[in-house]
Amino acid sequence: LCGAKVFEMADVETLGIASVISRTLEYLGPETPLHLSFDIDALDPAIAPSTGTPVPRGLSLWEGRYIASELAKTERLAAMDLVEVKSSGEW
């Protein structure tokens, strides 16, 4: 994948989200600016019912927050976007 490091949900389940983030940051190196594009589809639909493409066994809310928090702590997070949030009509 063009030199990209890929982790799948099985890796998160086996290694834990902390290890996945640590390995990702190590792979990228200490000087690389970061852009977090967070697709709401990554979260388990049980906690993110407004996803456009529900996929069971996604990230927990805690894991999603951990990713954003850990990347912010690096002080290299240059940009972030949250995509594919749709209105469920249940306000």
Side-chain angles (χ1 to χ4, degrees):
L1 292 174
C2 303
K5 183 84 170 160
V6 176
F7 290 97
E8 298 184 2
M9 195 59 202
D11 299 311
V12 173
E13 292 169 348
T14 302
L15 302 169
I17 195 66
S19 179
V20 168
I21 294 301
S22 176
R23 291 172 186 218
T24 299
L25 292 172
E26 183 178 315
Y27 174 79
L28 293 172
E31 303 298 320
T32 305
L34 305 173
H35 175 121
L36 173 59
S37 182
F38 195 96
D39 190 322
I40 198 73
D41 295 348
L43 296 176
D44 191 285
I47 58 166
S50 293
T51 179
T53 310
V55 180
R57 296 182 58 219
L59 296 170
S60 70
L61 183 57
W62 182 88
E63 290 166 328
R65 292 176 69 179
Y66 182 85
I67 292 167
S69 175
E70 289 302 299
L71 295 184
K73 285 179 190 176
T74 69
E75 297 185 358
R76 295 183 286 137
L77 187 57
M80 177 182 169
D81 60 273
L82 179 63
V83 296
E84 293 196 40
V85 178
K86 71 176 184 93
S87 172
S88 67
E90 298 177 11
W91 301 97

